[in-house]
Amino acid sequence: QAREAGGNTYRHYARGLTDYARERVTMSSELNRAIERDELQLHYQPLVDTASSRVTGLEVLVRWQHPERGMVLPDSFIRLAEETGLIIPLGAWVLRHACLQAREWEAAGIPFGRIAVNVSGVQIQRSDFARTLESILHETGLGAERLELELTETFVMDLREDAQQLLGDLKDLGIALAMDDFGTGYSSLAYLKGLPFDTLKIDRSFIGGLPDDPASAAIVTAITTLGNSLGFEVLAEGVETQAQRRFLIGVGCRRAQGYLFSPPVAPEAVVRLLTRAARHATSSS
Ligand code: C2E
Ligand code: MG
Ligand code: MG
Ligand code: MG
């Protein structure tokens, strides 16, 4: 049985469409319940200044605390949520809870910079998305400048002519926009230049090969150099080693994220991490 063997992920064995279909039906009704019963949790991963490790923001990553399966990671349920439409309530839940949490940290003087929330193309294309977002900001009292939305490159390319309008409406609210997993979707920097993005996140598949793999090194160097000169904030995803970090500093990549700095952590741990960093900065200045 896939479920027993899979631990905390859902695996699809090639045992015919019926098992697969049945698994999907079970999972989507469970996910639906999870949203209602608050079984979803948010973890936060620091976005840092590559050279100083100072925290400049936090990426919000959803987890599903399943009563029997344990912690389920988003790669195994986001796609299903997109296909079934559950991404709409799920996405709104994530946004609302992330903004509430950020507002709480802001009130407590915790220096988190801004929060970066992943949003799906399915969510953004709903005509009421900008309005929903606006009312979440209003309800929670979080300033728009404290929020960044991360969109994947493939989704943005699918939008074509609509991208300018849709993204422009979001920018008008005063939030920041990041292009996630950049480099995986074959869009050009020339195309990007016409869109209102603030941040380019270089996909972790290019960072893994640093510093020795010549192709990875060339790609990261090119994206960083061009990204910087076009005025984007360039961030490297999945930084795991000091050698990768040194390479990034060398080519002028000023932002990073990855296990080298911190894995995604629960909210309580964020507070410890940030208050420790703030004390450190005060005592050493
Ligand atoms: P992403 O937005 O590219 O998020 C970064 C992923 O890389 C996270 O996986 C994070 O845990 C992982 N990661 C961070 N540092 C390292 C590292 O040094 N090494 C390695 N190997 N991995 C690292 P996670 O949390 O499993 O999320 C996977 C994807 O699920 C995210 O990729 C994002 O596309 C999606 N996702 C997560 N939360 C949400 C959400 O609330 N809404 C939507 N629509 N998608 C989400
Ligand atoms: Mg992301
Ligand atoms: Mg990413
Ligand atoms: Mg990714």
Side-chain angles (χ1 to χ4, degrees), residues 94-273:
V94 169
L95 266 171
R96 182 168 284 111
H97 281 76
C99 290
L100 271 174
Q101 178 66 81
R103 181 68 194 100
E104 207 176 283
W105 283 334
E106 192 176 50
I110 312 251
F112 64 92
R114 65 186 178 204
I115 50 163
V117 178
N118 292 285
V119 288
S120 155
V122 179
Q123 252 176 300
I124 296 233
Q125 280 178 90
R126 295 265 296 219
S127 56
D128 58 354
F129 182 75
R131 249 175 301 135
T132 305
L133 183 60
E134 195 175 13
S135 73
I136 289 174
L137 287 171
H138 183 76
E139 270 169 46
T140 58
L142 187 74
E145 72 288 348
R146 293 293 216 153
L147 178 64
E148 181 164 50
L149 297 185
E150 297 193 359
L151 310 176
T152 63
E153 185 187 6
T154 25
F155 160 64
V156 174
M157 288 195 318
D158 286 346
L159 283 178
R160 295 165 209 279
E161 315 84 66
D162 295 339
Q164 190 72 52
Q165 176 73 48
L166 268 170
L167 301 180
D169 289 349
L170 295 176
K171 282 299 293 178
D172 287 346
L173 295 175
I175 65 165
L177 293 177
M179 165 145 310
D180 208 348
D181 304 343
F182 186 71
T184 55
Y186 312 102
S187 74
S188 68
L189 279 161
Y191 168 72
L192 262 187
K193 187 176 152 297
L195 296 172
F197 280 98
D198 303 279
T199 308
L200 278 189
K201 301 187 75 174
I202 307 176
D203 191 70
R204 108 169 102 85
S205 57
F206 303 110
I207 309 303
L210 299 179
D212 298 326
D213 173 52
S216 304
I219 291 167
V220 172
T221 304
I223 296 178
T224 303
T225 310
L226 222 75
N228 280 339
S229 58
L230 291 172
F232 295 111
E233 182 168 287
V234 181
L235 181 146
E237 300 190 277
V239 179
E240 296 183 352
T241 69
Q242 288 292 354
Q244 291 166 354
R245 177 196 199 174
R246 277 192 298 272
F247 180 94
L248 292 164
I249 294 171
V251 298
C253 180
R254 287 191 283 269
R255 295 285 182 266
Q257 167 180 17
Y259 299 159
L260 177 66
F261 306 98
S262 169
V265 295
E268 310 76 60
V270 170
V271 173
R272 281 197 298 275
L273 210 107

Side-chain angles (χ1 to χ4, degrees), residues 6-135:
N8 55 16
T9 57
Y10 288 80
R11 293 197 203 153
H12 310 129
Y13 292 113
R15 292 179 54 202
L17 191 61
T18 40
D19 275 11
Y20 176 63
R22 199 177 306 123
E23 179 79 0
R24 280 171 53 94
V25 172
T26 310
M27 195 170 151
S28 49
S29 73
E30 288 184 350
L31 184 55
N32 196 5
R33 233 184 22 214
I35 299 167
E36 286 161 6
R37 294 188 184 174
D38 271 355
E39 286 170 18
L40 298 180
Q41 294 175 359
L42 299 180
H43 280 190
Y44 299 82
Q45 186 177 32
L47 311 175
V48 305
D49 179 277
T50 317
S52 70
S53 303
R54 185 177 60 87
V55 177
T56 61
L58 297 169
E59 179 170 4
V60 179
L61 297 157
V62 69
R63 272 91 184 88
W64 177 5
Q65 194 57 51
H66 190 285
E68 289 117 44
R69 300 178 211 222
M71 172 99 78
V72 186
L73 293 174
D75 278 335
S76 56
F77 63 87
I78 290 292
R79 161 111 28 136
L80 180 70
E82 288 176 335
E83 288 165 1
T84 55
L86 281 173
I87 194 72
I88 301 301
L90 188 153
W93 188 95
V94 169
L95 266 171
R96 182 168 284 111
H97 281 76
C99 290
L100 271 174
Q101 178 66 81
R103 181 68 194 100
E104 207 176 283
W105 283 334
E106 192 176 50
I110 312 251
F112 64 92
R114 65 186 178 204
I115 50 163
V117 178
N118 292 285
V119 288
S120 155
V122 179
Q123 252 176 300
I124 296 233
Q125 280 178 90
R126 295 265 296 219
S127 56
D128 58 354
F129 182 75
R131 249 175 301 135
T132 305
L133 183 60
E134 195 175 13
S135 73

